[in-house]
Amino acid sequence: MKTILVLTDFSIRAQYAAEYAMQMAFKSGADLILCNAIELAEHNPVAQPIAWPVAGHLSLQDECMMDLKYLANHLKSLVPKNQKDALYEPTVTCIAGFGKLTTLVSGIIPVKGVDLIVMGAHKSNGLARFLFDSHTHDILDNIDCPVLMIPGSQGYKGINLIAYGTDLTFSNKKVIQYLSEIAEPFNAEILVRNILPPNVSSDGQANKILADQGQNASDSILTRITYTSIQGENIPKSLLEISGAGKADILALVHKRYGFFENLFHSSISKRMVDIAEVPLLVLPGSFSENVGDLSDDQLDHYCYEPGRSRG
C-alpha cells in the first residue's frame, strides 16, 4: 500500500478517520492525500441554486485549503517522538476541488495511484444524515477502490485481526491477496469466515475451497490466515458476530451492486453494515469479486445464498 486518500468534511468524525489513516501510514509506509470536495448548489440536488461570483469560489477554495493544511500539520504532529526513527514519516498533500465528491475522487485515484480510501462513518440524523448517506452510497457504487469507514469516534487501537465475511458466489483470490497486503506490515491475523445458508451444515469442503483461493498470499502471511464457516440466516447479524469473534480490529466485505429493479428487492449488505458496524468497516469494490469458475453450478446452489448469480 503506497497511497491513502482521506476524505474529510472537517467534522470531528472525519478528523478521527484521518488520524486512523495516519497511524496506518506510519506502519505501512504509505503517503496521505487529504481531500475535500466543495459542492456548490448546482452540484447538490437538495440545495437552492445560488449565483456565486468567481472571486467567492476562489475564496472558498482558499479557506478549504487552509483547513486541510491545518489538519495535515495536526497529523504530522502524531509521529511518536520515541519511535520517529523506526516509523515511516508519510508525506501529506492536500486537494480541495469543486464538484461532486465521486467525480473528484474518481479523477484523483488513477493519477495519484490510490490504494485505499479512508472516511468517517457518520451516524447523525436529519439532512446531514441524508447527505452523508448519499455520498457514501455514491462512493460505494461508483468508485473502484477499497473504502475503509471509521465509525463514530473510533480511535486507532492497532490492527491485530482482520475479519472477512464472505460466501462462495465468487472467487475470493483478489480479496485475500489485498487483505494480506494490509495485514503484513502489522503482523496481523486474517480470519476468513464463510457464511453458509441456514440449511447447509459445514462439512469442511467450503473452508478448503477458500483456503485454495488464498494460496496467492505471501508466505509470511499464509500461516496467519484462518478459514472457518458458520450458518447464518441474517447476514448483517452474522457479520457482526464475525467482527466480534476474536475482537476483530477491521471487518471486511465485498460490495455487491444491484440494478434498479433488483434494488426493489435487495438492500446492499455493505450499505446496511455502514450504519451498524462498531469496528472499522473495509468495503471492497465489486471488481474484487472475480467470477472465476472455482465452483460448479451444483456447488453454487449448495453453498450460496444467491445460487447461480455469479454465472450471470
Side-chain angles (χ1 to χ4, degrees):
M1 185 164 57
K2 297 299 182 185
T3 307
I4 300 173
L5 175 63
V6 180
L7 306 183
T8 181
D9 58 2
F10 306 116
S11 65
I12 189 63
R13 290 183 176 90
Q15 179 174 319
Y16 285 131
E19 291 171 355
Y20 194 103
M22 190 67 169
Q23 296 293 342
M24 289 186 69
F26 289 149
K27 293 280 285 187
S28 62
D31 293 317
L32 259 59
I33 300 172
L34 304 180
C35 175
N36 174 255
I38 307 167
E39 294 197 30
L40 302 176
E42 58 264 32
H43 304 130
N44 193 328
V46 300
Q48 195 69 26
I50 300 174
W52 285 74
V54 173
H57 284 183
L58 296 177
S59 175
L60 184 60
Q61 189 173 31
D62 287 343
E63 288 180 18
C64 288
M65 283 300 295
M66 287 178 61
D67 289 339
L68 287 172
K69 289 176 181 178
Y70 180 85
L71 177 58
N73 289 332
H74 167 67
L75 296 179
K76 291 174 183 177
S77 73
L78 299 178
V79 181
K81 299 295 186 292
N82 60 340
Q83 299 183 46
K84 199 164 185 179
D85 294 335
L87 295 174
Y88 177 76
E89 286 196 55
T91 62
V92 183
T93 56
C94 303
I95 296 176
F98 292 100
K100 283 191 64 176
L101 179 63
T102 49
T103 304
L104 184 62
V105 170
S106 61
I108 293 171
I109 289 172
V111 173
K112 300 295 186 179
V114 173
D115 304 294
L116 175 68
I117 296 171
V118 176
M119 62 189 296
H122 292 219
K123 293 188 177 180
S124 54
N125 296 310
L127 179 61
R129 171 61 179 278
F130 171 79
L131 294 174
F132 173 78
D133 281 351
S134 175
H135 288 155
T136 305
H137 295 179
D138 280 349
I139 289 288
L140 295 182
D141 284 339
N142 300 304
I143 300 299
D144 188 21
C145 183
V147 180
L148 181 63
M149 312 198 75
I150 312 301
S153 58
Q154 177 80 37
Y156 177 80
K157 300 174 182 176
I159 300 176
N160 299 304
L161 177 63
I162 300 173
Y164 169 50
T166 185
D167 61 19
L168 292 175
T169 54
F170 58 87
S171 170
N172 292 270
K173 290 177 180 176
K174 190 172 182 179
V175 176
I176 297 172
Q177 174 66 35
Y178 181 83
L179 295 180
S180 70
E181 292 170 2
I182 296 287
E184 193 159 13
F186 299 91
N187 202 30
E189 307 273 335
I190 299 175
L191 171 64
V192 180
R193 184 161 283 186
N194 177 44
I195 304 175
L196 295 167
N199 61 326
V200 177
S201 59
S202 178
D203 56 6
Q205 181 62 24
N207 297 342
K208 183 179 182 304
I209 292 169
L210 285 168
D212 288 343
Q213 294 176 3
Q215 290 304 305
N216 288 335
S218 63
D219 292 340
S220 61
I221 203 75
L222 276 175
T223 57
R224 300 201 301 275
I225 305 178
T226 302
Y227 300 91
T228 63
S229 294
I230 59 170
Q231 291 174 306
E233 186 170 3
N234 184 313
I235 297 179
K237 181 180 177 182
S238 298
L239 288 169
L240 288 178
E241 290 173 357
I242 290 171
S243 65
K247 297 183 179 178
D249 300 295
I250 291 176
L251 172 62
L253 67 157
V254 172
H255 178 55
K256 293 183 179 181
R257 292 185 58 189
Y258 294 107
F260 174 77
F261 291 106
E262 291 174 304
N263 263 327
L264 298 178
F265 306 101
H266 294 84
S267 177
S268 166
I269 299 297
S270 53
K271 290 175 183 175
R272 278 187 274 168
M273 290 303 297
V274 169
D275 257 355
I276 60 178
E278 298 296 330
V279 299
L281 181 67
L282 177 60
V283 183
L284 302 156
S287 60
F288 276 60
S289 57
E290 300 172 341
N291 293 328
V292 179
D294 294 319
L295 295 171
S296 67
D297 289 338
D298 288 342
Q299 286 175 316
L300 274 176
D301 290 339
H302 179 68
Y303 287 117
C304 300
Y305 278 86
E306 303 172 83
R309 279 194 63 88
S310 64
R311 301 298 189 212

